[in-house]
Amino acid sequence: MMIDLAQTQATAPACTFLATLTARVSVTTCQAFNGQARTFATICHPEAPAQLAGPKDLNVNTTQPTSPQRTGATRTLRAHSPKRQSSPLLFLLFAFLLSAVSASPLAAQSEKPEWCKPLPRPEYQSLQRVLPNEPWFEVYKVSAGVFAIYEPHQSEETISYLIVGTKQALLFDTGMGIANIHKVVSQLTSRPIVVLNSHTHDDHVGGNWQFNFVYGMDTDFTRANAKGSRAAAQEEIAPGEICGDLPQNFNPAEYSTKPWHVSLFVHDGFKINLGGRTLEIIATPGHTPDAISLIDRANGLLFTGDTYYPAPIWLFRPETNLDAYVASVKKLAALEPQLKLVLGAHNVPVAQPSVLPRLVAAIEAVRAGKGEVKPAGRGKELHTFDGISFLLPARH
């Protein structure tokens, strides 16, 4: 849902009037931030700079203990000097302005969404963080030459992976496109980078346009999504979807998934030699027609995209094929003896290979009518079996 930009500017005249009324007051500006999901209006003070912090809990059915949540910084309104006295008229003007801000729809948007209150996730404490000053992404080294690029400030909590060889690197997904992922990966490697997507939903292809070489599965679904989309992207920054600050210079009104060009169409079994490291595509349709996993056999790493991640797995959209999904997870479960780590595309980047047979058992049990079922919004149900959850279309 779009926030009317006029609403964000509603308090500006009052601020102008207030600053004009008295030169003794340190409050000279009123700023309004419109980010749909993160919108707030506030009186600005030179001693109280704007700050918010935070990130989502996609995992409705988590059994993990929650860690201390991130807290958003509060804004304070202070007089420029404690020695100065405020007049009754000035007090009334302040009260009027604060009342207008509080009554505005913008004020409610400053509250932290429920999904991000349990963050940061405790699993990240054991991982080595790199580029700690990066404001939008959190980057972790999860294995030799492998970096998880995590977006904790948006409700999808998407994770992309940079896999580095001696000659080139592969970026498995490019995230939301809200911040500059090209800049991040350029700090992690100087080698040429090729992009390959786990599938082409908007939260995995947002930065594709920034790269010269993009591999894609040879499907109609891939071709259609390569044209880009505004509507799907706008849903990702709707109210409640963002926790914390959006990047500087990000314009919500212009946000869209930009079109990209597929440099080379690839297929099941296609191998990519990075130099000292070979990656192989495993077609795993089901979540989408173009869904893939990526295996590094020599190092025992399996990148599963949205076929598996430790949160409710989305299987409710029109492009999902449950029969194909079951066949795909069985294919992955057969690889368990070869694996050391499973790396999914949301919430937490590492899982043990033993989860894969459990995934097969869980989806088969759910399709057989077993497990717990809860309503999960319009037209959807959350099915859980053995701690693994799936978001499916509601039964009629």
Side-chain angles (χ1 to χ4, degrees):
M1 179 178 68
M2 294 291 292
I3 300 296
D4 188 347
L5 185 60
Q7 292 177 332
T8 70
Q9 299 169 339
T11 56
C15 288
T16 303
F17 173 66
L18 178 61
T20 305
L21 181 68
T22 174
R24 296 183 302 165
V25 182
S26 66
V27 180
T28 58
T29 60
C30 179
Q31 295 180 336
F33 294 79
N34 177 12
Q36 293 191 39
R38 183 218 20 118
T39 38
F40 58 93
T42 183
I43 301 171
C44 296
H45 186 282
E47 296 178 9
Q51 292 184 3
L52 283 180
K56 162 179 178 189
D57 200 305
L58 248 168
N59 193 345
V60 179
N61 187 50
T62 179
T63 57
Q64 300 290 344
T66 57
S67 60
Q69 64 192 45
R70 298 180 181 179
T71 57
T74 58
R75 282 189 176 272
T76 56
L77 178 66
R78 301 187 297 250
H80 187 64
S81 167
K83 296 179 181 179
R84 294 185 174 172
Q85 302 297 319
S86 299
S87 69
L89 177 59
L90 184 59
F91 176 83
L92 289 174
L93 285 169
F94 272 123
F96 167 78
L97 185 56
L98 287 173
S99 175
V101 170
S102 299
S104 150
L106 300 169
Q109 297 299 327
S110 64
E111 297 180 4
K112 177 178 287 191
E114 284 298 320
W115 60 262
C116 68
K117 289 182 179 179
L119 300 180
R121 296 183 180 278
E123 293 89 346
Y124 284 92
Q125 295 176 5
S126 62
L127 300 177
Q128 178 187 351
R129 187 170 179 182
V130 297
L131 305 181
N133 295 324
E134 169 57 43
W136 178 261
F137 300 100
E138 291 183 6
V139 183
Y140 296 87
K141 186 175 182 180
V142 293
S143 184
V146 180
F147 300 90
I149 304 172
Y150 172 48
E151 298 186 64
H153 300 285
Q154 199 280 335
S155 65
E156 304 282 5
E157 289 188 59
T158 302
I159 305 171
S160 306
Y161 292 92
L162 181 68
I163 308 162
V164 182
T166 58
K167 295 181 179 179
Q168 62 179 338
L170 183 137
L171 182 58
F172 195 49
D173 289 338
T174 59
M176 304 295 305
I178 291 175
N180 189 342
I181 197 169
H182 186 279
K183 178 182 176 182
V184 171
V185 298
S186 296
Q187 295 176 74
L188 297 171
T189 183
S190 60
R191 294 172 177 81
I193 296 171
V194 62
V195 167
L196 176 64
N197 300 114
S198 63
H199 61 297
T200 55
H201 278 155
D202 65 285
D203 53 322
H204 298 268
V205 300
N208 277 20
W209 66 277
Q210 297 178 305
F211 297 87
N212 293 326
F213 299 99
V214 180
Y215 293 167
M217 292 296 280
D218 192 1
T219 72
D220 291 339
F221 189 76
T222 306
R223 290 183 180 86
N225 287 336
K227 297 176 183 178
S229 170
R230 172 179 166 78
Q234 287 290 313
E235 290 177 1
E236 304 287 11
I237 56 170
E241 298 300 310
I242 300 295
C243 184
D245 281 334
L246 285 163
Q248 290 184 352
N249 302 320
F250 177 81
N251 186 340
E254 296 180 358
Y255 177 54
S256 65
T257 302
K258 296 183 180 181
W260 76 91
H261 174 69
V262 177
S263 310
L264 178 69
F265 285 105
V266 293
H267 52 79
D268 183 44
F270 186 87
K271 294 181 180 180
I272 305 159
N273 184 359
L274 301 181
R277 170 176 245 143
T278 299
L279 304 174
E280 181 181 341
I281 292 174
I282 302 173
T284 49
H287 176 69
T288 65
D290 61 352
I292 65 171
S293 296
L294 197 61
I295 188 168
D296 178 346
R297 294 185 189 273
N299 294 292
L301 305 178
L302 179 68
F303 302 85
T304 54
D306 278 10
T307 300
Y308 171 75
Y309 50 85
I313 297 168
W314 287 17
L315 298 174
F316 63 88
R317 296 178 66 154
E319 61 267 25
T320 296
N321 183 315
L322 281 179
D323 290 336
Y325 180 81
V326 172
S328 292
V329 296
K330 286 181 177 179
K331 186 190 301 186
L332 296 184
L335 298 171
E336 181 197 5
Q338 305 176 36
L339 302 176
K340 296 178 182 177
L341 279 180
V342 171
L343 301 105
H346 293 277
N347 293 50
V348 175
V350 292
Q352 294 304 308
S354 58
V355 75
L356 296 174
R358 289 179 51 220
L359 179 63
V360 173
I363 189 60
E364 290 188 324
V366 163
R367 295 194 78 189
K370 300 178 183 178
E372 183 182 12
V373 182
K374 293 181 179 179
R378 186 172 60 183
K380 297 186 289 292
E381 293 175 338
L382 184 68
H383 294 250
T384 303
F385 184 88
D386 188 25
I388 297 177
S389 297
F390 306 93
L391 203 57
L392 298 172
R395 297 164 296 179
H396 298 290

